[in-house]
């Protein structure tokens, strides 16, 4: 008597249901990867649009010159075609504001280092950068 032997299940490739599952998984992975790529691209676009035209600054150091003046080394970063204005204030030892001024930086450079002199009503011990913004008008 001859024994009836069945064919091995994977001898001629995967079954149709296995291929359908693999295709489905591949589509899901592709859709998730595409959504992530689209989100990253959107994030970069939003970041570029919202930071265009911004002006930022930093007080590197300051030095009291006299009882009525203090010098501050100000570094400003901005787009080359944008003019900006930065506001500084001088503080007395008791933390009272003893001077305030705005300094304008013309378009043309991306990074500006400038030492500015701030007049005060009495002796100042420090300067504080209040903020920088693009110059309009």
């Amino acid at each position: 008597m001859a024994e009836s032997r069945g064919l091995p299940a994977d001898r001629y490739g995967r079954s149709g249901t296995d291929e359908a599952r693999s295709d489905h998984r591949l589509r899901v992975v592709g859709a998730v990867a595409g959504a992530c790529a689209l989100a990253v691209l959107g994030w970069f676009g939003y970041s570029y649009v919202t930071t265009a035209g911004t002006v930022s600054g930093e007080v590197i150091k300051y030095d009291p010159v006299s009882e009525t003046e203090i010098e501050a080394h100000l570094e400003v970063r901005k787009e080359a075609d944008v003019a900006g204005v930065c506001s500084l204030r001088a503080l007395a030892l008791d933390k009272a504001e003893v001077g305030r001024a705005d300094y304008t930086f013309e378009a043309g450079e991306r990074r500006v280092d400038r030492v500015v002199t701030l007049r005060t009503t009495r002796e100042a011990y420090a300067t504080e950068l209040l903020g920088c913004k693009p110059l309009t008008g």
Side-chain angles (χ1 to χ4, degrees):
M1 288 200 190
E3 292 181 27
S4 112
R5 296 184 188 183
L7 295 175
D10 291 336
R11 181 171 185 154
Y12 298 104
R14 296 182 290 179
S15 68
T17 57
D18 288 343
E19 284 183 26
R21 283 187 204 136
S22 293
D23 286 347
H24 180 71
R25 285 186 197 134
L26 186 59
R27 286 181 183 159
V28 169
V29 168
V32 169
C36 288
L38 189 60
V40 167
L41 186 62
W43 176 264
F44 285 136
Y46 176 76
S47 176
Y48 177 77
V49 168
T50 58
T51 60
T54 60
V55 178
S56 64
E58 179 179 3
V59 174
I60 304 299
K61 67 177 185 173
Y62 52 84
D63 186 34
V65 176
S66 68
E67 288 190 15
T68 59
E69 289 182 334
I70 189 167
E71 285 184 347
H73 179 183
L74 186 60
E75 180 183 291
V76 178
R77 292 168 301 283
K78 60 184 184 59
E79 293 296 321
D81 60 344
V82 174
V85 61
C86 293
S87 300
L88 289 174
R89 74 176 179 171
L91 301 172
L93 202 52
D94 62 358
K95 308 249 178 162
E97 183 177 296
V98 293
R100 183 184 287 237
D102 292 332
Y103 298 95
T104 303
F105 301 92
E106 298 301 323
E109 294 182 64
R110 295 179 69 86
R111 184 175 169 270
V112 179
D113 278 324
R114 187 185 298 173
V115 176
V116 295
T117 302
L118 181 58
R119 293 185 163 273
T120 61
T121 56
R122 60 183 168 126
E123 189 172 7
Y125 85 100
T127 59
E128 179 181 28
L129 178 64
L130 296 174
C132 297
K133 61 183 180 181
L135 190 61
T136 57

